[in-house]
Amino acid sequence: MKKQLMKVRKAAGMACLLLVLLVQAAFGQVLPAVSGTVADSSGAPLPGVSVLVKGTQNGASTNADGSFSLQNVAGGATLVFSFIGYQAQEVPVNGREVINVTLQQDLQALDEVVVVGYGTVKKSDLTGAVASVKAEELATEGLNTVAKALQGKVAGVTIESAGGDPGMGTRIMIRGVGSLNNNNPLYLVDGVPVPDINNISPNDIASIEVLKDASAAAIYGSRAANGVVLITTKSGEAGKTQVIFNANAGVQRLAKKIDVLNAQEWASVSNAAHDAAGLPRLEIAEDPALLESGLDWQDEVYRTAPVQNYELSITGGNKGSQYSVSGGYFNQRGLVKVTGYERLNLRVKSETTKGRFRFGETLLLSQESWTKMPGGWGGQGGNPVGSAVKMIPVFDIYDTTAVGGFAGAYGPVLNVANPLAQLHLEDIRNRSTDIVLNFFGEVELLPGLSYKLNLGYNNTHGYDYDYERRYQVGTLFTHQTNDLSEDRSHRRLLMLENTLNFTREFGKHSLQALAGYTMQQNRLRTLWGSAIDLPDGIKVLDAAASNPATGGNLYESALLSMLGRVVYSYDSRYLLTASFRRDGSSRFGDENRYGNFPSIALGWNISNETFFDSFSQAINRLKLRGSYGVLGNQEIGDYLYSAAIASNINYVTGADQHKWFGAIQTAFADPDIKWENSSTFNIGVDLGAWQDKLTFTADYFIKRSTDVLLNVPIPGSTGAVGNPVVNAGIIENRGLEASLGYSGGKGDFNYDVYGTISAINNEVERLGTGTQQIFGGQPTHHGSSTTLTQAGGEVGAFYLVKTDGIFNSEEEVQAHSKNGTLIQPNASPGDIRFVDANGDGSISDEDRVHAGSAFPDFTYGLGFNAQWRNFDLGLFFQGTQGNMIYNGFRQDIDGMNLEINYSKATLNAWTPENHTDFPRAVINDPNYNTRTSDRFLEDGSYLRLKSLQLGYLFPAQALERIGAGSLRVYLSFDNLFTITGYDGYNPDLGRTGSILNRGVDYGHVAYPLARTANLGVQLQF
């Protein structure tokens, strides 16, 4: 009996061993091909289904018959079947060569939710103009800020860079310019308002929603006139803990240099200019042959700069609690020597559900540090970028005998500072430490009814440090003492929100209602100190010998609000959204402290109508929507409704000449100023074809801003030192925006193409008294304004004196006259002929006429992504068309009227023997050829390959030894090339400050754009 039992056991063991070996053989073998078909629940074939070997890039798409075929599939692999609108399936191969799959419709996917103010709305019920960008659309970018990653990807959103200055932000405008003050949108990170989003790591973001019209944004009332940007950070997911490590490192190079003269060329042009003016030549230029090429100051200032980024995140949780923790370090050294930027990020986010209760928090910590360039030291070269272009190439860099060790300009030349001396003799550092905290608790009071408490906190500590050493740089720049200034600021925001949400579906009706009461308080305290004459090497204020000074201030404001919204849907066909918000702001007087901001929107899901069934195979989604609402803008300074009183206005009186302490009102104020209101009408269409393989969205809008706040001039006899701020303007923006996308594939190759385009027309309907004009856009240290804002035109339109060619003979000069009087009496052959637009017989700023606009005819973006097996490729192009740029650099270096370096174009200057379209060289410029005119206005259109990325995902089998879930390496390039006719460093101007400076390339504050190459790795465990 025992022997028989032993035989049975032995036989069973052999059978099990054989089974294991057979399974291993089946699973371990590589099948030459796996094929099959994919159908829906009715048995109809599904074309375009993605079939992917899990953990690899080996994939294919089903053809028109729903068939697919994959090569070289491991017998133990798993296939992932996915298709828009259907539930994804994971099917083990188990050694099979034929696999047929039926996909079930995913109702939840069809009702994908979109984040809107104070909640979410089903995408099918959305009636507003909302653009959504998901995390995967940002993940492949090598860019370091959220705004730069968004550029060109959202229709109707204009994002202009601030050049290549490390860590600098961007100018973001949603649907044009609606104010002469602050045009920045409202930013909210996980529900907390923040001043900007430059300190947010793109890898921490789950989605970005841009609320563009009143229906979407009116729930934010007085802060939403410029649009709203909602950022939702990544949350944890139930399941196995995941560890993700991302790293990339690269180099930055100067994308473009300004083409200027070498030493010999400069001396030749300088001598020609002096000879033409009848003035003696400069001593340093008398013999050009002895100078050789001299210094290229741009080569001395710029460098190849490294950039690196490291991020680690851990996510996980269970059904009741999820968490996500991440940390990052970013370091970017600037193209300009000395400059740089560093950022540290830490994020903690968790959420817990227990019965009827749900609560969670988000904590974002960041610290940013900048090392910046100094200004122009009072000279006319501007910052080191401007000085590097204008500095004469015959001067030296160093002088060991000089205080500070640097040489500089000398003699009768313009006061342009040695740019290397500027960078090394003044130390400018800024630091910002930011905390964003959001905590929420939610309880379900009744089925479908919940109460939510949301607490928000934003705390920012700023620190600015500026230490200027003593120096003697050439003969034109002397600084005899070591000086120090330090500024500190503390900004705090507190927010408390109470909201009730009600959701109910009954029959064909769906209702979502929101009611809320919110409070927000802002507080800013500033403190500064400065002193001069510090001992060498000691950099503290208390060590200064003279001129200590201190100051500080406090600014406070508050916002109290009530809000409500109703979202109604009947049979998923007819949609209604209505919202209302009432805001009370301390920034306005008692009479106008409160404002009401309503909106209403209607939608029609045409594709859900029965008569549309015959089209549903081709067009699965078609929606029309329209909205109207009123938004507000309260982003002005505090206390503008109240006249300021200046203290310490003291005077001496009486026989004993004793001092009386006094105070006086120095400016007038309008106590009745009120909100800037923006009424927006929007009509749009959303379309999806072939199960959303093709998607299309288009919107037409009219955005009319009334009660625009501006300074209205008053007579100087009033004694006021400034003009009061009043509501006296109307600005209208009309625009059309569209986005288009297509996804497809064949066999192992899958791709998607997407694009956006926007066209906006801006007009000022009323301004001030009706005839008021606002000038702006200073182009150079000495040039007059270039832009004019007035009723009937756009904001910041270019108004310039027009040119009409070159005088090629004395006869042409004499012929340019009126009533026998020369219009340009100081002109000679070779000078520019200007147009006497007002017909008064002379040329002056009164002859300025409309010459162009900084507003593009349209902006666009075009992207392409492709995957073939384990390889992926991403391209993104972005650009503008039809906008103009005033080139302030050229006004200086094309002039030949100042003792600076000149552009290469001056080598082609007009001479009696060589008639060209470039004016003659003459140092005193008697005809004023360098006046602010359309001579320096250029086409700013451009097309840029903004990003190119090539990646490779390692096969899952290759990662088993290290226990990794996935490993991707990539090579990326940013700003690889730019096609443009603009001669400056960068046509993508983002000059900060007044909107009236838009499109003006002011060389004093320039920083060129970098071309960047990065090598990166993405590792997941």
Side-chain angles (χ1 to χ4, degrees):
M1 186 68 179
K2 289 183 179 180
K3 290 182 179 180
Q4 291 179 344
L5 184 58
M6 290 294 291
K7 289 181 179 180
V8 172
R9 288 180 178 176
K10 187 175 181 179
M14 292 296 291
C16 289
L17 178 60
L18 181 60
L19 179 61
V20 170
L21 291 175
L22 288 173
V23 171
Q24 286 182 340
F27 283 17
Q29 67 177 333
V30 176
L31 302 173
V34 174
S35 60
T37 59
V38 182
D40 62 15
S41 56
S42 67
L46 286 176
V49 176
S50 171
V51 185
L52 186 69
V53 179
K54 188 174 182 180
T56 75
Q57 288 290 323
N58 184 11
S61 297
T62 57
N63 60 21
D65 299 327
S67 302
F68 72 93
S69 180
L70 289 170
Q71 309 298 317
N72 301 320
V73 179
T78 297
L79 301 186
V80 180
F81 296 82
S82 59
F83 192 47
I84 296 174
Y86 289 81
Q87 296 177 2
Q89 280 194 39
E90 294 189 6
V91 180
V93 175
N94 292 339
R96 294 175 293 171
E97 295 185 0
V98 177
I99 299 176
N100 298 319
V101 173
T102 299
L103 294 184
Q104 301 297 323
Q105 198 170 36
D106 186 355
L107 298 178
Q108 183 176 359
L110 293 176
D111 283 336
E112 175 189 354
V113 297
V114 176
V115 176
V116 293
Y118 302 97
T120 60
V121 174
K122 291 189 295 185
K123 191 172 184 179
S124 59
D125 291 345
L126 188 65
T127 54
V130 179
S132 184
V133 180
K134 302 302 181 185
E136 53 269 22
E137 299 176 56
L138 299 172
T140 58
E141 299 287 355
L143 302 169
N144 57 73
T145 67
V146 178
K148 289 179 181 178
L150 280 176
Q151 190 173 30
K153 292 186 175 179
V154 181
V157 178
T158 302
I159 300 177
E160 299 169 340
S161 77
D165 200 352
M168 293 301 289
T170 55
R171 185 201 297 273
I172 300 179
M173 292 177 290
I174 299 176
R175 292 188 164 180
V177 175
S179 174
L180 300 178
N181 301 289
N182 189 337
N183 282 278
N184 295 331
L186 170 66
Y187 301 106
L188 294 106
V189 178
D190 284 347
V192 180
V194 295
D196 60 61
I197 53 177
N198 297 318
N199 62 328
I200 306 296
S201 169
N203 281 331
D204 283 338
I205 294 174
S207 69
I208 301 173
E209 272 75 26
V210 181
L211 315 184
K212 295 184 287 185
D213 73 336
S215 171
I219 199 69
Y220 289 107
S222 65
R223 299 170 293 165
N226 298 322
V228 182
V229 178
L230 303 177
I231 293 181
T232 303
T233 61
K234 291 179 179 177
S235 301
E237 295 181 359
K240 183 181 177 181
T241 299
Q242 289 188 338
V243 179
I244 302 173
F245 175 70
N246 295 322
N248 64 71
V251 293
Q252 307 164 95
R253 293 182 182 274
L254 184 65
K256 180 182 180 181
K257 287 173 59 176
I258 301 296
D259 211 3
V260 293
L261 303 177
N262 64 30
Q264 285 186 349
E265 293 168 336
W266 168 80
S268 297
V269 173
S270 175
N271 290 340
H274 283 77
D275 293 347
L279 297 173
R281 297 180 174 184
L282 295 176
E283 183 179 346
I284 56 176
E286 283 183 335
D287 193 345
L290 298 177
L291 295 178
E292 298 182 347
S293 60
L295 273 176
D296 187 326
W297 285 97
Q298 292 180 87
D299 285 347
E300 300 298 329
V301 165
Y302 299 117
R303 63 184 175 185
T304 298
V307 58
Q308 52 188 321
N309 186 42
Y310 308 96
E311 294 184 322
L312 179 68
S313 66
I314 303 173
T315 64
N318 53 40
K319 184 177 180 181
S321 298
Q322 301 86 41
Y323 65 88
S324 176
V325 180
S326 66
Y329 172 73
F330 177 79
N331 186 294
Q332 179 185 12
R333 298 181 69 182
L335 285 176
V336 178
K337 293 177 180 178
V338 177
T339 63
Y341 171 70
E342 190 176 48
R343 184 182 71 219
L344 291 166
N345 290 91
L346 177 65
R347 179 182 59 88
V348 179
K349 186 174 184 178
S350 71
E351 184 175 314
T352 299
T353 302
K354 186 71 173 177
R356 294 188 301 164
F357 297 91
R358 186 171 70 96
F359 51 89
E361 90 291 327
T362 300
L363 174 63
L364 298 172
L365 304 176
S366 66
Q367 185 175 88
E368 299 174 278
S369 300
W370 296 264
T371 302
K372 294 187 175 181
M373 295 186 296
W377 282 2
Q380 296 190 49
N383 65 19
V385 170
S387 295
V389 173
K390 301 172 190 175
M391 189 71 171
I392 295 174
V394 303
F395 295 125
D396 294 326
I397 300 175
Y398 302 105
D399 181 358
T400 57
T401 65
V403 177
F406 286 90
Y410 54 85
V413 299
L414 199 69
N415 57 338
V416 176
N418 176 342
L420 272 297
Q422 290 177 287
L423 289 169
H424 291 281
L425 294 176
E426 187 171 0
D427 183 12
I428 302 176
R429 287 176 285 150
N430 306 128
R431 185 175 67 244
S432 177
T433 303
D434 191 70
I435 301 172
V436 177
L437 175 63
N438 170 256
F439 171 81
F440 75 88
E442 187 174 14
V443 57
E444 186 179 21
L445 303 175
L446 295 169
L449 177 64
S450 62
Y451 164 76
K452 184 176 182 180
L453 171 67
N454 195 59
L455 301 175
Y457 177 72
N458 182 208
N459 191 312
T460 303
H461 285 272
Y463 173 66
D464 300 331
Y465 171 95
D466 189 339
Y467 177 76
E468 188 172 4
R469 296 167 178 80
R470 58 191 183 94
Y471 55 78
Q472 176 69 52
V473 178
T475 60
L476 304 180
F477 293 90
T478 301
H479 192 75
Q480 298 180 345
T481 59
N482 299 311
D483 301 344
L484 175 65
S485 66
E486 295 183 83
D487 298 357
R488 295 184 183 273
S489 63
H490 178 206
R491 183 186 302 273
R492 187 194 69 189
L493 176 142
L494 291 173
M495 181 186 72
L496 173 65
E497 297 176 334
N498 298 272
T499 55
L500 284 171
N501 279 277
F502 177 75
T503 303
R504 178 65 58 86
E505 293 187 7
F506 42 98
K508 295 183 178 182
H509 305 273
S510 174
L511 178 66
Q512 183 179 344
L514 166 75
Y517 182 80
T518 74
M519 178 277 292
Q520 180 179 312
Q521 183 185 75
N522 296 279
R523 179 185 176 95
L524 172 64
R525 180 178 286 276
T526 60
L527 179 67
W528 62 268
S530 65
I532 67 172
D533 201 6
L534 282 75
D536 290 344
I538 300 178
K539 304 175 183 179
V540 294
L541 291 173
D542 278 353
S546 59
N547 290 5
T550 60
N553 219 321
L554 175 65
Y555 305 88
E556 292 182 313
S557 64
L559 190 69
L560 199 63
S561 310
M562 294 176 288
L563 56 96
R565 179 177 60 214
V566 173
V567 179
Y568 171 74
S569 168
Y570 175 74
D571 199 22
S572 295
R573 290 184 292 163
Y574 310 118
L575 314 172
L576 168 68
T577 301
S579 66
F580 179 82
R581 180 164 179 141
R582 179 173 173 81
D583 280 333
S585 173
S586 64
R587 287 178 170 166
F588 301 95
D590 292 339
E591 296 299 319
N592 293 294
R593 182 149 290 175
Y594 288 88
N596 301 317
F597 306 99
S599 78
I600 188 168
L602 300 173
W604 180 23
N605 277 320
I606 302 174
S607 54
N608 290 342
E609 296 286 359
T610 54
F611 67 76
F612 202 80
D613 289 345
S614 58
F615 303 99
S616 60
Q617 289 296 319
I619 301 176
N620 60 286
R621 180 168 54 87
L622 179 61
K623 182 200 294 183
L624 290 179
R625 46 187 170 76
S627 68
Y628 176 82
V630 179
L631 306 172
N633 185 5
Q634 64 129 25
E635 298 308 314
I636 61 173
D638 296 320
Y639 319 122
L640 292 182
Y641 64 88
S642 178
I645 304 296
S647 58
N648 294 321
I649 309 298
N650 307 322
Y651 58 98
V652 177
T653 187
D656 57 351
Q657 294 292 285
H658 62 275
K659 181 165 68 173
W660 278 18
F661 296 92
I664 191 172
Q665 178 178 329
T666 57
F668 291 99
D670 180 4
D672 296 323
I673 60 172
K674 55 185 178 181
W675 320 87
E676 292 184 345
N677 285 322
S678 176
S679 58
T680 301
F681 166 78
N682 188 95
I683 185 168
V685 59
D686 301 317
L687 180 145
W690 302 297
Q691 296 302 315
D692 278 354
K693 291 184 67 174
L694 175 69
T695 59
F696 174 74
T697 296
D699 286 272
Y700 174 76
F701 65 88
I702 302 173
K703 176 181 173 183
R704 194 166 188 265
S705 302
T706 59
D707 295 322
V708 173
L709 291 163
L710 67 149
N711 295 95
V712 172
I714 58 176
S717 58
T718 61
V721 298
N723 297 320
V725 176
V726 300
N727 298 96
I730 299 175
I731 300 173
E732 183 176 271
N733 291 275
R734 292 173 177 255
L736 179 66
E737 59 195 36
S739 60
L740 180 70
Y742 180 80
S743 299
K746 184 175 183 181
D748 295 337
F749 182 70
N750 295 282
Y751 65 92
D752 63 88
V753 182
Y754 58 94
T756 65
I757 189 168
S758 307
I760 298 175
N761 180 61
N762 175 269
E763 182 182 356
V764 179
E765 293 188 1
R766 184 168 69 85
L767 195 66
T769 58
T771 59
Q772 183 178 354
Q773 296 179 321
I774 302 177
F775 295 93
Q778 181 185 0
T780 68
H781 187 85
H782 50 273
S784 59
S785 61
T786 59
T787 69
L788 172 64
T789 301
Q790 63 180 355
E794 67 267 29
V795 174
F798 288 113
Y799 272 76
L800 304 166
V801 176
K802 300 283 285 186
T803 57
D804 186 27
I806 301 287
F807 293 118
N808 284 307
S809 65
E810 184 62 33
E811 289 77 15
E812 291 184 9
V813 174
Q814 297 298 320
H816 192 48
S817 62
K818 182 174 184 178
N819 300 327
T821 301
L822 291 180
I823 294 176
Q824 294 175 236
N826 295 322
S828 297
D831 284 331
I832 292 177
R833 181 191 296 111
F834 295 103
V835 176
D836 179 21
N838 67 352
D840 66 354
S842 64
I843 302 299
S844 68
D845 284 346
E846 298 301 316
D847 292 305
R848 290 184 290 193
V849 296
H850 186 271
S853 173
F855 285 86
D857 293 336
F858 59 89
T859 62
Y860 58 91
L862 179 64
F864 174 77
N865 296 319
Q867 300 85 35
W868 180 74
R869 296 187 177 178
N870 286 42
F871 293 94
D872 62 88
L873 173 69
L875 295 168
F876 185 71
F877 295 88
Q878 173 264 331
T880 67
Q881 183 63 42
N883 57 299
M884 307 300 289
I885 297 177
Y886 191 92
N887 193 333
F889 259 132
R890 275 190 52 222
Q891 189 167 359
D892 279 337
I893 64 176
D894 278 6
M896 301 174 291
N897 64 317
L898 302 172
E899 306 289 3
I900 59 174
N901 199 8
Y902 308 125
S903 71
K904 286 281 189 184
T906 59
L907 296 175
N908 193 39
W910 188 96
T911 65
E913 299 78 21
N914 182 31
H915 291 189
T916 69
D917 60 357
F918 199 95
R920 66 185 179 122
V922 54
I923 197 66
N924 57 354
D925 193 15
N927 187 56
Y928 202 7
N929 291 327
T930 56
R931 73 165 60 248
T932 300
S933 70
D934 69 350
R935 175 187 173 190
F936 307 108
L937 189 66
E938 301 182 29
D939 183 1
S941 306
Y942 71 92
L943 168 64
R944 172 173 294 150
L945 177 52
K946 187 170 179 61
S947 66
L948 182 154
Q949 188 168 127
L950 177 65
Y952 178 77
L953 183 67
F954 283 83
Q957 298 90 331
L959 304 178
E960 291 178 354
R961 292 183 179 180
I962 62 174
S966 68
L967 172 62
R968 177 177 179 266
V969 296
Y970 64 89
L971 180 64
S972 70
F973 301 91
D974 299 327
N975 305 316
L976 199 58
F977 66 78
T978 302
I979 300 173
T980 182
Y982 181 62
D983 286 337
Y985 277 122
N986 175 30
D988 177 24
L989 297 181
R991 181 177 173 185
T992 56
S994 171
I995 193 65
L996 305 180
N997 297 328
R998 188 184 184 201
V1000 179
D1001 195 348
Y1002 183 49
H1004 274 47
V1005 296
Y1007 198 116
L1009 200 63
R1011 179 180 294 124
T1012 306
N1014 272 296
L1015 181 64
V1017 60
Q1018 297 168 334
L1019 179 63
Q1020 180 177 325
F1021 293 93

